Each structure stands twice: as C-alpha cells, then as structure tokens.
Amino acid sequence: MGTAFERVDDERYLSTVTDRWNGLHGQPLGGYVLAVALHPLRQQISFPDLLVSSAFFLRQVVLGAVEVRTEIVRVGRRTATGETRL
C-alpha cells in the first residue's frame, strides 16, 4: 500500500512517498500526498469516515522518507477535527 506508516510516538509517524503516483512532471500527485498525510490521523480519530479535508502545499514534496506529525484539535460527540503536517 502506498500510504503505509510506522508509529514513532503519539503524534509522529514515518512514511514513504513513492514514485507510484507521480504526475506528468515526475512529482507525486497532490491527492496521493494528502492520503499519506491523512492516513495516520484517521487511525487516531475514532469516527469511521473523513467528511472534509483541505491541503496547503507550501513546496514540492520529494520522493522518499517523510515524517507525519498529527494533532487532534477537537473531539465532539459526532465529529472530530485534526491536523497533520508532512
């Protein structure tokens, strides 16, 4: 799977951005990078489905090992809000 990760501690995970989902210019596609970033967060939040996500790409993501930092901002009865940084 292209979004596999390894837990380092409660808020840090290690993953790898592969060339399997590269676009026309040889860079990883944004949706794939977003999936890599959100996968660890989804494991921390107890709700089954992601309702909304948004992403800001401050610079190009390069292939190779990445660290994903997660933060649970708020947990309610029906929804939760979290953040990840790649």
Side-chain angles (χ1 to χ4, degrees), residues 28-84:
L29 295 171
Y32 165 62
V33 174
L34 182 60
V36 169
L38 290 178
H39 196 73
L41 184 65
R42 188 165 186 268
Q43 301 300 312
Q44 288 185 310
I45 294 177
S46 60
F47 298 104
D49 296 318
L50 175 68
L51 298 177
V52 176
S53 68
S54 71
F56 297 95
F57 296 96
L58 302 178
R59 51 183 101 72
Q60 289 182 337
V61 177
V62 296
L63 301 175
V66 293
E67 180 181 80
V68 180
R69 292 181 179 259
T70 63
E71 179 182 351
I72 305 298
V73 178
R74 178 184 179 277
V75 177
R77 286 186 286 167
R78 296 185 182 190
T79 63
T81 303
E83 175 181 315
T84 65

